[in-house]
Amino acid sequence: MTEQTKVPASAPSDSLLRRWTGPQTSDLVLSPGRFGLGRVPLRLEPDATTGMVCGFCATGCGLQVHLRDGEALNLSGDPDYPVNLGMACPKGWEALAPLRSPDRAVTPLLRNPATGQMEPVSWVRALDEFTVRMKTVQAAHGPHSIAFLSTGQICTEEMALLGMLFKFGMGGLHGDSNTRQCMATAHVAYKQSLGFDAPPYTYADFEQSDVLVFVGANPCIAHPILWQRVLRNPHRPEILVLDPRRTETAMNATQHLALRPKSDLTLLYGIAAALVARGAVDRDFVEAYTTGFDGFEAFLGAFTPERACSESGITREAFDRAVDTIARGRRVSFWWTMGVNQGHESTRTAQALIDLALMTGSFGRPGTGANSITGQCNAMGSRLYSNVTSLPAGRDFRNAEHRAEVSRLLGIPGDRIPDEPSLAYDQILEGIEKGDIRGLWVIATNTAHSWIEQDRFRRLVGKLDFLVVQDLYASTDTARLAHLVLPAAGWGEKDGTLINSERRIGLVKRVLRAPGEALADFHIFRLVAEAWGCGGLFREWTDPEAAFGILQRLSRGTPCDIAGIRGYRHLDECGGIQWPFPETAAAGTSDPVRERRLFEDGRFFTPDGRARFLYEEPRGVPEPADAEYPFILLTGRGTSAQWHTNTRTEKSAVLRSLYPAEVYCEIHPDDAARLRVETGTRLRIRSRRASIEAQAFVTPTVQPGQVFLPMHYVEVNRLTRSTFDPHSRQPSYKHCAVHVERADRTIAIPRS
Ligand code: SF4
């Protein structure tokens, strides 16, 4: 840890903070918890029930929160919410438990350079420290020597304010979000192919398809409520699952194509080629609404069924059956999640699914679409409004007209708006490695656990002059490395909106007081703005609902236009509203259509209105198995009771009872027999980066030569390899080579 920097003559002081027109920091001391109130948009009756959306995953379930004396007592699934129809997964049912955890951060904490210990400080001191040290870094190393890493877990209004504060107010350029780890591929794939980052579907499509193709997706446990929607499908659909593992979803499918890890691009091109060969192309749709099919058709000539089968390991019989099913389907939908998004050629793989949907005319009709299922509860909000890689509402930093529009709509001087986007997450870390980035602000994410090749990040922290972590807990792996911790309110302790997988904007409400001096992220950003001296730029951002109004203004005329929404109350009354919802859609109707899909008119968001076929020759995996590292490591979600780095889900005793406390490794019975391993045997798993131990779980859900580790355990990303898709810069978590042995032996494992 570095020593605290000296306060320069121009240091902000308490008097600067007092210029702020909102509640003063002294209020915090006098009345902890009051500060997060802001303007409460919906008056909550003391002993009533109020609806809000869940803050874990992007399914976006509606929950009914039951209040006593105006505060949440418990909750249940909302039977009237159009997403979940009364259902909720274990995380949703336990959503209040993490807020009540005794290890919540309740006051700012500052590391004492003499003792190395974190010590409680006032907000005034914390904001002074933040401002002085970040400005000191900038003064010494340039304005772009500070960066932030944010999240898809906070409200849209909050992430928008952060992005604008950092870039337009603090003079920073580089900030990214953990949505880079889950949804960057879908974002780039849609943008390049369809002209805008626009997942086209509505959840009703799960019930209306006669063929559903899931690629690298395990909705049974990752999006269990969406799987319930599949189960409501009355058409006895064919369900195809392409996944190396026999996942819970694969077990419930009608066809499981257990392909070799990362052979999906070749297999998808092979399926496309076979569809062409059997005349299953919707030529009318292709002619009317797309461009580039001729080139794609020629490209597919190299992807014979023999090649697709030999490279993917799929039998010819299974391949032909899958092609036949898709060809005969009338309403075919293609769905993908992290098995696609987290790969070394993930953007082209996602686009192969888009290509398949386009060539079969599977767009804009009920039960169709190339549909990326989003991960985090507000990854979609981050993609549209976080002001990171795109200016708000999908605008381009490099486009002078777009910058001028944003300047005019926000009243921000044009010269404060950068003319280039941020570095991506991995490039920010590279900047730290090179010494170009010296100050880092981490908000509601746990990089020291979740980042690929995790040890590297932990080493890089030592190169930072200043690391700030803003989170609900001071106990996260990343917070424990920080110089300064800012205590944040969580979901349920603040107001705002989240945008779910089907583009539905849902409401989050303040139904509990944040503990101690923890503040809503929105208000922390406002305080930072004031402390920094740029609060004047954000006078209009008085509270989340006012910020939502600003985002509506920014969206007007764009594909994600939400100008027709009449405030938070309208969202509340309608059970959320899907974007786009322009003023023209709002006119004349008090009940927005609840289930809406995009591209019903065949017009896409590209300049010529046509969707593009995009494709590329597949590339080999960067780290194949070899004699020294003979197993392929797969990672993914363990159970529906665990969420990502387990920061919140581990706080619930109920959820803890639903998953193993220690990391476990799924291994095939054949490999287990060869290694003389049984379920419960301690394994040592070694990659070129690190070595960890895990309990064996012998199961045929993984194929011979492959092992699976759930990502929720902190050890797992010590093994993974820094590999990124070149278009989306999304990490490839799903493939690296490892060596496996009994932890009490050191012999190499022979392979048959
Ligand atoms: Fe919450 Fe997702 Fe579970 Fe629904 S499926 S209750 S949104 S975690």
Side-chain angles (χ1 to χ4, degrees):
M1 297 296 168
T2 58
E3 286 189 13
Q4 292 179 38
T5 45
K6 287 182 184 164
V7 178
S10 61
S13 64
D14 290 10
S15 64
L16 194 154
L17 297 183
R18 290 194 190 100
R19 285 190 218 153
W20 190 39
T21 54
Q24 296 302 303
T25 47
S26 57
D27 292 345
L28 296 168
V29 180
L30 296 173
S31 181
R34 268 193 57 208
F35 185 71
L37 267 171
R39 187 174 112 213
V40 180
L42 299 164
R43 196 175 301 281
L44 303 178
E45 298 299 329
D47 295 307
T49 293
T50 191
M52 60 194 288
V53 292
C54 176
F56 282 104
C57 90
T59 302
C61 295
L63 302 173
Q64 285 192 336
V65 182
H66 311 289
L67 309 170
R68 177 175 293 168
D69 299 329
E71 291 211 343
L73 182 65
N74 54 29
L75 54 75
S76 53
D78 186 342
D80 296 324
Y81 204 72
V83 166
N84 51 314
L85 316 171
M87 300 175 281
C89 83
K91 297 186 292 296
W93 281 104
E94 279 297 289
L96 294 171
L99 302 174
R100 295 166 171 152
S101 173
D103 68 340
R104 287 289 302 273
V106 293
T107 180
L109 297 170
L110 182 65
R111 193 172 298 280
N112 181 327
T115 65
Q117 300 300 307
M118 297 300 276
E119 295 174 353
V121 293
S122 70
W123 269 103
V124 170
R125 174 79 195 282
L127 290 163
D128 271 357
E129 200 74 25
F130 179 99
T131 309
V132 170
R133 291 176 72 172
M134 287 292 189
K135 286 191 174 190
T136 302
V137 169
Q138 282 185 312
H141 304 287
H144 301 165
S145 58
I146 61 172
F148 73 81
L149 296 173
S150 176
T151 180
Q153 295 289 151
I154 59 176
C155 298
T156 314
E157 296 81 353
E158 296 175 325
M159 52 180 64
L161 178 54
L162 167 64
M164 295 187 203
L165 160 67
F166 189 83
K167 293 200 169 192
F168 307 157
M170 294 167 60
L173 176 63
H174 302 306
D176 202 359
S177 159
N178 62 16
T179 50
R180 180 74 60 182
Q181 293 159 274
C182 65
M183 298 314 299
T185 290
H187 169 91
V188 174
Y190 279 135
K191 206 164 175 176
Q192 290 180 350
S193 294
L194 310 182
F196 198 79
D197 179 12
Y201 61 99
T202 177
Y203 290 159
D205 290 319
F206 284 115
E207 299 166 14
Q208 294 166 346
S209 298
D210 56 17
V211 177
L212 298 106
V213 183
F214 289 97
V215 184
N218 186 12
C220 269
I221 63 160
H223 296 88
I225 302 308
L226 298 186
W227 182 250
Q228 294 299 316
R229 300 290 299 260
V230 175
L231 296 181
R232 288 164 52 94
N233 187 317
H235 306 295
R236 300 176 63 83
E238 282 285 332
I239 300 173
L240 282 65
V241 170
L242 279 64
D243 199 307
R245 290 174 68 220
R246 189 161 169 73
T247 61
E248 293 80 352
T249 308
M251 289 176 202
N252 286 284
T254 56
Q255 300 176 42
H256 175 207
L257 282 70
L259 71 171
R260 288 200 183 98
K262 295 302 156 206
S263 65
D264 38 8
L265 187 53
T266 302
L267 178 59
L268 294 173
Y269 287 153
I271 291 172
L275 290 170
V276 171
R278 63 176 285 164
V281 176
D282 184 338
R283 298 275 170 185
D284 291 342
F285 184 93
V286 166
E287 177 71 21
Y289 305 122
T290 73
T291 187
F293 182 69
D294 289 348
F296 185 51
E297 193 172 6
F299 168 80
L300 292 177
F303 294 88
T304 62
E306 292 74 23
R307 177 180 173 190
C309 290
S310 80
E311 292 188 20
S312 67
I314 300 299
T315 65
R316 181 63 188 265
E317 186 189 359
F319 177 85
D320 287 345
R321 185 177 167 210
V323 170
D324 187 58
T325 303
I326 295 169
R328 285 191 292 105
R330 285 170 296 130
R331 297 180 305 280
V332 183
S333 54
F334 300 87
W335 306 87
W336 81 85
T337 60
M338 300 314 147
V340 169
N341 284 347
Q342 295 173 339
H344 69 290
E345 49 190 359
S346 55
T347 300
R348 292 295 180 245
T349 309
Q351 286 168 335
L353 289 164
I354 296 172
D355 294 339
L356 278 165
L358 291 172
M359 67 188 282
T360 54
S362 301
F363 257 105
R365 292 185 290 113
T368 66
N371 305 328
S372 145
I373 302 173
T374 309
Q376 298 184 77
C377 60
N378 204 21
M380 193 74 236
S382 169
R383 286 149 70 177
L384 291 178
Y385 291 107
S386 65
N387 203 36
V388 173
T389 50
S390 311
L391 280 164
R395 293 180 177 88
D396 186 351
F397 279 103
R398 291 198 174 92
N399 184 315
E401 267 180 47
H402 289 182
R403 294 197 303 276
E405 268 177 9
V406 170
S407 165
R408 177 174 55 78
L409 290 167
L410 290 177
I412 299 272
D415 59 2
R416 283 184 170 266
I417 300 180
D419 58 6
E420 58 180 309
S422 166
L423 293 174
Y425 204 128
D426 66 301
Q427 296 163 328
I428 289 173
L429 299 190
E430 260 178 45
I432 297 172
E433 191 145 41
K434 287 190 232 158
D436 296 340
I437 291 175
R438 305 290 191 105
L440 186 67
W441 184 10
V442 177
I443 300 113
T445 191
N446 191 6
T447 309
H449 177 142
S450 66
W451 190 245
I452 200 161
E453 202 173 328
Q454 180 199 100
D455 290 0
R456 181 168 163 249
F457 173 76
R458 288 171 182 256
R459 282 196 302 274
L460 292 181
V461 166
K463 302 190 87 170
L464 289 169
D465 292 343
F466 193 40
L467 173 62
V468 182
V469 174
Q470 180 171 320
D471 207 297
L472 274 71
Y473 313 98
S475 53
T476 71
D477 306 285
T478 313
R480 284 201 290 260
L481 303 171
H483 299 96
L484 176 67
V485 172
L486 302 177
W491 167 92
E493 296 169 341
K494 58 188 180 179
D495 303 309
T497 59
L498 310 175
I499 309 179
N500 80 353
S501 278
E502 58 166 357
R503 313 180 316 283
R504 185 178 301 275
I505 301 164
L507 208 49
V508 170
K509 299 176 190 171
R510 185 173 184 271
V511 293
L512 278 175
R513 289 178 185 278
E517 297 180 9
L519 300 177
D521 294 286
F522 188 87
H523 293 305
I524 296 175
F525 301 142
R526 289 189 68 208
L527 274 175
V528 168
E530 211 58 43
W532 195 272
C534 60
L537 294 173
F538 304 100
R539 286 282 177 259
E540 229 192 319
W541 298 69
T542 51
D543 59 69
E545 191 165 13
F548 185 73
I550 297 167
L551 300 184
Q552 289 184 279
R553 190 197 307 157
L554 284 162
S555 77
R556 192 174 279 121
T558 71
C560 59
D561 191 335
I562 50 172
I565 297 172
R566 297 185 299 280
Y568 280 0
R569 190 170 294 279
H570 194 194
L571 291 172
D572 208 28
E573 288 166 355
C574 295
I577 295 175
Q578 288 176 282
W579 68 259
F581 196 77
E583 281 157 321
T584 48
T589 173
S590 59
D591 179 21
V593 181
R594 284 189 158 192
E595 304 277 10
R596 292 180 301 141
R597 64 187 56 78
L598 300 178
F599 312 125
E600 287 176 322
D601 60 358
R603 292 284 300 173
F604 292 89
F605 296 122
T606 52
D608 62 4
R610 289 170 172 269
R612 303 206 176 328
F613 282 92
L614 295 172
Y615 46 88
E616 194 173 320
E617 185 62 28
R619 290 179 287 116
V621 291
E623 190 177 65
D626 59 18
E628 194 178 351
Y629 296 94
F631 283 82
I632 295 302
L633 170 63
L634 312 173
T635 66
R637 194 178 301 276
T639 67
S640 61
Q642 289 161 292
W643 180 247
H644 290 186
T645 63
N646 229 6
T647 301
R648 282 181 292 164
T649 40
E650 72 176 1
K651 312 298 185 200
S652 156
V654 172
L655 297 180
R656 281 199 306 275
S657 72
L658 296 175
Y659 60 83
E662 278 189 54
V663 62
Y664 60 93
C665 175
E666 294 183 10
I667 183 167
H668 190 273
D670 293 353
D671 291 323
R674 201 168 50 251
L675 297 171
R676 294 201 292 273
V677 162
E678 298 172 350
T679 291
T681 303
R682 200 132 192 93
L683 295 177
R684 182 175 300 114
I685 306 157
R686 178 164 49 84
S687 76
R688 290 182 174 86
R689 276 68 59 194
S691 174
I692 70 165
E693 291 191 6
Q695 283 203 354
F697 176 35
V698 180
T699 168
T701 53
V702 287
Q703 299 182 42
Q706 299 168 23
V707 289
F708 172 82
L709 289 170
M711 64 181 178
H712 316 288
Y713 301 89
V714 69
E715 304 91 330
V716 173
N717 277 316
R718 298 189 60 215
L719 300 174
T720 48
R721 180 183 191 272
S722 293
T723 301
F724 304 93
D725 174 75
H727 303 282
S728 68
R729 307 300 311 166
Q730 181 155 346
S732 174
Y733 285 101
K734 305 287 190 194
H735 193 289
C736 71
V738 293
H739 178 273
V740 181
E741 63 189 0
R742 291 175 62 117
D744 58 357
R745 299 169 72 95
T746 54
I747 56 167
I749 298 166
R751 294 202 64 199
S752 55

